[in-house]
Amino acid sequence: MDRFVWSNGLLEMNETLVIQQRGVRLYDGEEKAKLDAGVVLLSTHRLIWRDIKNHECCIAVPLSQIVFFEEQAAGIGKSAKIVVHLHPALPNKDPGPYQHSKFSYIKLSFKEHGQIEFYRRLTEEMTQRRWENTPASQPIPTATGSQTGRTRAVGIVGIERKLEEKRKETDKNISEVRDLGQGAKEMVELSRSIANKIKEKQGDITEDETIRFKSYLLSMGIANPVTRETHGSGTHYHMQLAKQLADMLLAPLQERGGMMALTEVYCLMNRARGMELLSPEDLVNACKMFESLKLPLRLRVFDSGVMVVQLQSHNEEEMIASALDNVSEKGSLTSEEFAKLLGLSVLLAKERLLLAEKMGHLCRDDSVEGLRFYPNLF
Amino acid sequence: MHRRGVGAGAIAKKKLAEAKYKERGTVLAEDQIIQMSKQLETFKTHLEEFASKHKQEIRKNSQFRVQFQEMCATIGVDPLASGKGFWSEMLGVGDFYYELGVQIIEVCLALKHRNGGLITLDELHQRVLKGRGKFAQDVSQDDLVRAIKKLKAMGNGFGMIPVGGSYLVQSVPAELNMDHTVVLQLAEKKGYVTVGEIKESLKWERERAGHVLEHLLKEGLAWLDTQAYGDPQYWLPALFSELSARDITPDEASQMVP
């Protein structure tokens, strides 16, 4: 921590802010520094830390002082960290929070997360080394290799060994991922051949076999090219899911005036499950089966592209007639006002008004103050 | 296995077809399906092995996730297509992204009244992180982007607009064409734009600029400041940096009247 200098936190002329992250605590080597709650900022030239309560307490270290940095995974009760190894401080360095330090590295502890992005950007900046091309107006002292000599060599060897180990492990991981990919690739090609044959009606594929094929595609995550004729990607899984949805959504739908946006349904269902969540596509494919399974729900797509689940008993004309009543009673309504009146989401309130307008019952006044609907007296 | 058409004529026809195909050296689709089911079993075993070694790593290491996703994209498989897929069930990648999807939807909904349904990827990232809490897994912006791409399947206009080296995430079905996008990009530097600036930078006529700005106002994506010195300024709340705007939590936002 003795490499840091006091700073006013203002960026220099050619210096740009790259990313910042709050909730960061500093460590001098393994020891927690008193600087425990702050924002860390990465610029093209420096690493800056500012105390969140006392904005005047602000320190910085030039990026050129960084030898190497690595991630330290989070543990139980411990936040993820980035360990930054630094060159020794220059003798003519400006004053900073620490006079001496027995450590040649510091740690940034990300108590409120954000370490992944920060690490990524730091890597970018350290690769691009933009501070070398655009020196800031006030020269920031850069460490030159000549001074460090022997002390540097000792520290570096250990670091380089670590880097090498990491590289080997990453390479092993990548090759295992590739091997896995190879097996999957063969199946993708096979599935394409099968799909073509089904399309051209070669051979005699039963409906059972088709459903089985579709379930294989689903398991592998291969896009299904043969879907159109039968009900979406209708596998047994989706049929079960459709029935489950019909059970779980009846009450919520009735509470919300018979209609819910698909994104709402997605959140509701997944929050209820906690694990083994539904993918967006699972939800859409299951909803497409409502009609063929004779369930009392329907999937509907509005002109705007908004997708909703609605009760089959949803009486459109009744809804529109009552919307007209509401608007007439108040003289005019915006989507927000209508939403508040009925306890609907603004999105669905707007769709209902648009529908009433389409049917000729309402007309609009579209000004910069908002979209307002009036009873259509024409 | 049940075959259609059990009558003698159908059987004869079938035998003829089989003979024809064998002659041409083509394999029947039914046989290929059997072959595929066998390959699937083998693959499942490999995936289980892979999962036992790397499942934790994928959850923790965002770089590994990226490599994994890129491999899948190259081959033509979508590991996030279904929660029932092998990838999801064995590697657990599904839950990670689907849960993220829920969190993204909730943040966008909470802030919609303020920014009209447009938010920078940076801000979305920060707010999602905050909502996830201290003990949850960290997520990268790449993770968010992938989760958003999946959300598109549900309609509702989830989209991403490239702006200033990053993205604006759109979560409402407001129609935004090239003209609107270009103006948003122009506004990115200062958070606002004027008709004069549009005319000068884009060489548009006043009317065209006016149309675009009016549309943004109507959709709630822009606010008008007529008291500014000089040309009236059209501000985009989506571009307000967290530093200058008061920090509203999603809870507070949901209590606020739209």
Side-chain angles (χ1 to χ4, degrees):
Chain A
M1 278 299 298
D2 60 344
R3 277 62 156 177
F4 275 88
V5 300
W6 292 114
S7 165
N8 55 16
L10 296 175
L11 298 179
E12 301 295 335
M13 272 288 285
N14 290 318
E15 193 184 4
T16 337
L17 182 64
V18 172
I19 189 175
Q20 63 185 32
Q21 180 59 48
R22 35 185 279 176
V24 176
R25 159 181 233 142
L26 294 178
Y27 282 65
D28 177 32
E30 295 302 318
E31 295 167 1
K32 288 184 184 170
K34 286 231 176 73
L35 310 154
D36 67 342
V39 184
V40 67
L41 301 99
L42 173 67
S43 79
T44 45
H45 292 62
R46 296 177 290 170
L47 198 61
I48 304 170
W49 185 92
R50 182 192 293 128
D51 191 312
I52 208 152
K53 294 190 205 86
N54 175 13
H55 284 223
E56 290 189 6
C57 172
C58 183
I59 58 176
V61 68
L63 294 182
S64 55
Q65 289 259 244
I66 298 178
V67 178
F68 158 69
F69 58 97
E70 56 184 338
E71 293 173 287
Q72 188 179 321
I76 305 177
K78 294 191 177 149
S79 313
K81 300 176 178 59
I82 294 179
V83 184
V84 185
H85 298 263
L86 300 161
H87 286 299
L90 298 168
N92 57 343
K93 167 189 149 295
D94 286 336
Y98 283 60
Q99 290 277 51
H100 311 283
S101 168
K102 60 183 182 190
F103 297 100
S104 66
Y105 63 96
I106 59 145
K107 294 193 196 187
L108 305 171
S109 175
F110 289 81
K111 286 157 54 171
E112 291 181 27
H113 295 302
Q115 71 274 9
I116 298 180
E117 270 316 298
F118 200 89
Y119 182 82
R120 185 173 79 80
R121 301 295 182 94
L122 183 57
T123 311
E124 259 174 40
E125 290 309 314
M126 290 304 293
T127 314
Q128 288 177 20
R129 304 178 82 85
R130 288 193 265 180
W131 68 86
E132 285 174 357
N133 307 331
T134 54
S137 61
Q138 224 183 65
I140 296 168
T142 46
T144 51
S146 52
Q147 302 197 343
T148 40
R150 204 188 306 158
T151 33
R152 187 181 175 193
V154 171
I156 294 286
V157 165
I159 290 172
E160 282 183 349
R161 198 183 330 126
K162 261 197 196 165
L163 268 174
E164 188 54 37
E165 275 171 24
K166 241 196 174 163
R167 220 173 291 143
K168 280 206 189 114
E169 196 178 318
T170 318
D171 283 344
K172 189 161 79 88
N173 284 346
I174 296 179
S175 77
E176 289 190 12
V177 167
R178 287 220 190 99
D179 285 341
L180 194 67
Q182 208 36 49
K185 191 170 177 187
E186 284 161 17
M187 270 193 286
V188 172
E189 282 160 6
L190 186 57
S191 74
R192 283 202 190 128
S193 168
I194 297 174
N196 275 334
K197 293 197 171 119
I198 293 182
K199 252 191 261 185
E200 290 166 29
K201 305 242 192 317
Q202 289 180 11
D204 210 3
I205 314 276
T206 65
E207 195 162 321
D208 254 353
E209 282 163 334
T210 311
I211 291 188
R212 212 147 27 98
F213 177 55
K214 282 189 197 172
S215 75
Y216 297 161
L217 295 178
L218 186 73
S219 298
M220 287 301 299
I222 300 173
N224 188 350
V226 209
T227 40
R228 317 309 157 189
E229 339 90 52
T230 34
H231 12 262
S233 259
T235 63
H236 290 299
Y237 170 61
H238 293 117
M239 286 188 221
Q240 274 181 323
L241 191 51
K243 291 180 192 154
Q244 221 182 71
L245 286 169
D247 278 336
M248 293 198 57
L249 293 176
L250 272 184
L253 277 172
Q254 276 156 358
E255 282 167 27
R256 290 165 174 74
M259 200 185 279
M260 277 173 78
L262 207 56
T263 44
E264 244 185 290
V265 174
Y266 176 77
C267 291
L268 195 72
M269 293 296 292
N270 278 338
R271 282 258 176 241
R273 287 178 156 228
M275 9 182 281
E276 287 179 20
L277 304 181
L278 302 175
S279 77
E281 275 159 73
D282 286 336
L283 187 57
V284 172
N285 287 326
C287 290
K288 284 185 180 163
M289 300 192 80
F290 285 149
E291 189 156 357
S292 64
L293 291 176
K294 306 216 186 331
L295 295 164
L297 303 181
R298 291 291 179 272
L299 176 67
R300 179 185 182 169
V301 185
F302 285 109
D303 292 341
S304 61
V306 172
M307 293 170 82
V308 299
V309 173
Q310 67 181 45
L311 290 171
Q312 194 207 0
S313 61
H314 173 94
N315 190 329
E316 191 93 301
E317 280 129 19
E318 225 177 80
M319 292 287 149
I320 293 181
S322 85
L324 178 56
D325 283 339
N326 290 125
V327 175
S328 308
E329 209 183 292
K330 301 280 176 180
S332 71
L333 284 175
T334 63
S335 314
E336 289 81 15
E337 290 162 357
F338 188 46
K340 215 164 154 208
L341 204 63
L342 294 187
L344 277 182
S345 71
V346 177
L347 190 72
L348 294 186
K350 188 171 178 183
E351 290 298 336
R352 198 169 287 182
L353 292 172
L354 286 174
L355 210 57
E357 183 195 29
K358 199 168 163 186
M359 300 281 139
H361 300 293
L362 296 177
C363 62
R364 66 167 63 189
D365 175 24
D366 206 354
S367 71
V368 293
E369 272 148 23
L371 179 57
R372 191 166 276 281
F373 289 89
Y374 292 82
N376 188 1
L377 304 168
F378 297 105
Chain B
M1 210 176 4
H2 248 349
R3 303 251 178 194
R4 265 200 293 247
V6 240
I11 293 178
K13 210 163 77 170
K14 179 118 195 113
K15 286 224 164 106
L16 188 59
E18 275 177 11
K20 258 209 269 180
Y21 286 129
K22 284 230 169 85
E23 204 178 272
R24 275 196 263 162
T26 351
V27 186
L28 290 174
E30 304 98 300
D31 293 334
Q32 280 188 317
I33 291 182
I34 297 175
Q35 187 189 359
M36 188 168 180
S37 96
K38 287 199 189 121
Q39 277 189 0
L40 213 71
E41 284 309 308
T42 315
F43 180 78
K44 210 172 157 189
T45 319
H46 288 164
L47 186 56
E48 269 166 355
E49 233 178 87
F50 182 86
S52 68
K53 283 193 228 165
H54 299 290
K55 189 170 177 175
Q56 286 306 317
E57 190 65 20
I58 285 198
R59 273 195 76 80
K60 290 191 185 166
N61 185 339
S62 78
Q63 186 50 29
F64 196 20
R65 275 199 294 280
V66 171
Q67 279 162 355
F68 169 74
Q69 292 272 19
E70 285 179 353
M71 178 273 286
C72 288
T74 314
I75 317 172
V77 289
D78 180 2
L80 302 181
S82 170
K84 199 69 180 157
F86 286 159
W87 310 99
S88 202
E89 289 188 323
M90 283 185 239
L91 276 182
V93 268
D95 278 8
F96 179 84
Y97 287 98
Y98 306 147
E99 188 186 7
L100 194 51
V102 171
Q103 291 159 349
I104 291 170
I105 292 172
E106 289 177 344
V107 166
C108 288
L109 211 61
L111 294 174
K112 194 166 78 158
H113 73 284
R114 192 171 76 126
N115 58 29
L118 208 61
I119 186 173
T120 60
L121 187 56
D122 276 342
E123 191 182 349
L124 180 61
H125 185 220
Q126 288 296 316
R127 290 193 184 265
V128 165
L129 279 180
K130 217 165 165 195
R132 284 166 72 90
K134 287 177 65 151
F135 301 105
Q137 191 64 41
D138 191 12
V139 293
S140 67
Q141 287 190 359
D142 181 84
D143 292 328
L144 286 177
V145 168
R146 289 183 196 275
I148 292 170
K149 284 196 179 140
K150 285 282 116 197
L151 292 179
K152 285 188 181 192
M154 296 192 289
N156 248 61
F158 261 96
M160 310 226 303
I161 303 169
V163 148
S166 177
Y167 293 99
L168 280 176
V169 176
Q170 183 184 350
S171 59
V172 288
E175 228 194 81
L176 295 180
N177 59 29
M178 275 308 294
D179 272 7
H180 302 123
T181 307
V182 152
V183 167
L184 287 175
Q185 289 166 342
L186 193 60
E188 193 262 343
K189 292 186 203 66
K190 294 186 285 179
Y192 70 86
V193 74
T194 64
V195 175
E197 285 166 359
I198 294 178
K199 284 173 69 182
E200 199 184 301
S201 304
L202 304 175
K203 311 278 184 258
W204 288 359
E205 280 143 26
R206 177 165 282 271
E207 209 179 302
R208 184 175 175 187
H211 269 152
V212 169
L213 293 171
E214 211 177 279
H215 182 79
L216 293 177
L217 279 178
K218 284 183 188 173
E219 293 294 343
L221 301 175
W223 296 348
L224 181 53
D225 178 10
T226 48
Q227 290 181 332
Y229 177 76
D231 249 350
Q233 297 170 340
Y234 291 77
W235 285 83
L236 284 112
L239 299 173
F240 290 173
S241 76
E242 269 204 316
L243 293 174
S244 55
R246 187 179 89 84
D247 211 12
I248 304 180
T249 65
D251 273 326
E252 284 174 84
S254 62
Q255 286 165 19
M256 287 169 72
V257 177

